[in-house]
Amino acid sequence: MSPRDLSCEEVIERLFDYLDRELDHQQTADIERHLSRCRDCFTRAEFEKRLRARVAASGTVKAPPRLYRRIGSLLDRFDDDEPDRSH
C-alpha cells in the first residue's frame, strides 16, 4: 500500500487508535508523516500523550489513610440509608 496524505480531520479521528497502537503499519506511517508536517496535529498528539502519561502515573500514587477513612465513612452512610431490598 502506498503512503497517503491525510487531512487533519482524518488524523484527529484516528489519533486515539494511533496512540493505542491499534493501527496497521501503513496507517501508522501515514499519521506519523502528517504529524511531522503539521504543527497543530503534532501539538494535539503530544498533549494527548502527556495527558495519558500523567493519568497513568497518578494511578500509582497511594491514597492517604485519611481518604480511605472518608470513603469508608461515606460508604457506611450510604449502606445505612439504603432501604432493605431483601423482601
Side-chain angles (χ1 to χ4, degrees), residues 1-4 23-31 33:
M1 196 176 258
S2 63
R4 185 168 169 274
L23 301 176
D24 65 31
H25 177 73
Q26 186 60 55
Q27 292 170 323
T28 298
D30 291 342
I31 289 177
R33 188 175 320 91

Side-chain angles (χ1 to χ4, degrees), residues 57-85:
S58 71
T60 62
V61 175
K62 185 172 168 111
R66 182 177 168 208
L67 179 59
Y68 283 106
R69 288 190 303 271
R70 177 147 169 75
I71 291 172
S73 173
L74 290 170
L75 289 172
D76 288 344
R77 272 196 272 159
F78 178 76
D79 287 341
D80 291 343
D81 290 344
E82 199 166 300
D84 184 13
R85 297 177 193 247

Side-chain angles (χ1 to χ4, degrees), residues 5-76:
D5 287 331
L6 300 175
S7 68
C8 292
E9 292 79 20
E10 289 173 304
V11 170
I12 297 304
E13 185 177 300
R14 296 181 184 172
L15 185 59
F16 293 118
D17 293 334
Y18 167 75
L19 294 174
D20 291 337
R21 295 183 167 110
E22 295 178 352
L23 301 176
D24 65 31
H25 177 73
Q26 186 60 55
Q27 292 170 323
T28 298
D30 291 342
I31 289 177
E32 288 175 349
R33 188 175 320 91
H34 180 91
L35 294 176
S36 72
R37 295 184 211 157
C38 179
R39 180 85 176 143
D40 290 339
C41 290
F42 175 81
T43 300
R44 172 74 182 265
E46 285 302 305
F47 171 81
E48 294 295 342
K49 283 181 193 176
R50 289 180 183 163
L51 178 61
R52 286 171 174 229
R54 293 203 64 179
V55 169
S58 71
T60 62
V61 175
K62 185 172 168 111
R66 182 177 168 208
L67 179 59
Y68 283 106
R69 288 190 303 271
R70 177 147 169 75
I71 291 172
S73 173
L74 290 170
L75 289 172
D76 288 344

